Structures are given as structure tokens and as C-alpha cells.
Amino acid sequence: VQLQASGGGLVQPGGSLRLSCAASGFTLDLHAVGWFRQAPGKEREGIACMRNVDDRTFHADSVKDRFTISRDNAKNTVYLQMNSLRPEDTAVYYCAAGSWCQGPWVTHPRSLIEGRGTQVTVSS
């Protein structure tokens, strides 16, 4: 059971990136999925979550209208499209699978399935 995030990198302010998170060993569409980020010296922030029952999405205010979570069940992959990136978006981004969304946080009563993070750096 594994999640592997990819797609991070260095981008200029105003630019775009698309993060991918591929699942192996389990079926992603049976789970709520989400993205977190953590910047140095800051707490972890839940930024997007997508329910499996109806594909409803939730985004944190800090990324609303700029980031979009989506999934491709055929590819067993979840995505985070990030547009209009800002320096304050610089962080390590993690994907996770769980049971439900509490706003932009994906949660599970016991333990999330989490992937290793991917670094996103927004700088000129």
C-alpha cells in the first residue's frame, strides 16, 4: 500500500504546477483523498480534499480559486493543479487517502495512507 507524489519543483511567482499522486496496492476511488503542505517552521496545513462518494471537493481559503484537486480513477491517481503560485505556497506537499473530508482535511479514524512529499518552491 503506497502513495507516491511527484511533480514538484521550482517555479516563478504566477506560474503553475501540477502535482500527481499515484496509488499502488489499493484502490484510490474507495477513499477520500487530500493534499497537505508543510512549510519550514509552520504547522501542517490541509489544503484540498475530495470525497469518494460524490467527488465533492473542498479547498482551503488560502488556495481557493487557485488550486484544484481532482482524480483519475482509471489511473488510480489524484492530482493538484496549482495556478497563480505565490512565494508563500513554498512547502513540501503530501498526498493522503482516508475515509472522509473535514473541510480541506482528509481524515481517517485510525490512520491515513500518506505518501512521501514533493517540494514546491515558488521564487523569482
Side-chain angles (χ1 to χ4, degrees):
V1 174
Q2 189 175 8
L3 286 170
Q4 180 63 55
S6 62
L10 174 64
V11 63
Q12 291 188 340
S16 297
L17 281 175
R18 188 177 79 156
L19 305 183
S20 300
C21 179
S24 59
F26 71 104
T27 303
L28 201 57
D29 66 359
L30 297 179
H31 298 265
V33 292
W35 290 91
F36 301 93
R37 68 184 180 185
Q38 188 160 21
K42 293 189 176 181
E43 292 188 356
R44 190 180 229 191
E45 179 186 13
I47 57 171
C49 188
M50 186 173 197
R51 303 198 307 200
N52 59 307
V53 293
D54 58 6
D55 286 349
R56 185 176 175 183
T57 61
F58 304 86
H59 296 82
D61 288 344
S62 59
V63 306
K64 198 169 289 183
D65 299 326
R66 298 188 300 122
F67 292 9
T68 303
I69 187 172
S70 63
R71 70 165 92 208
D72 185 333
N73 292 332
K75 295 182 178 179
N76 216 25
T77 299
V78 61
Y79 302 97
L80 185 69
Q81 178 66 43
M82 306 187 295
N83 299 327
S84 302
L85 282 160
R86 305 166 179 169
E88 55 264 39
D89 294 319
T90 295
V92 178
Y93 284 71
Y94 303 86
C95 57
S99 295
W100 59 78
C101 298
Q102 284 186 305
W105 293 86
V106 60
T107 64
H108 190 280
R110 289 182 298 280
S111 176
L112 292 173
I113 302 170
E114 289 193 36
R116 294 180 66 179
T118 184
Q119 176 71 46
V120 172
T121 302
V122 184
S123 175
S124 55

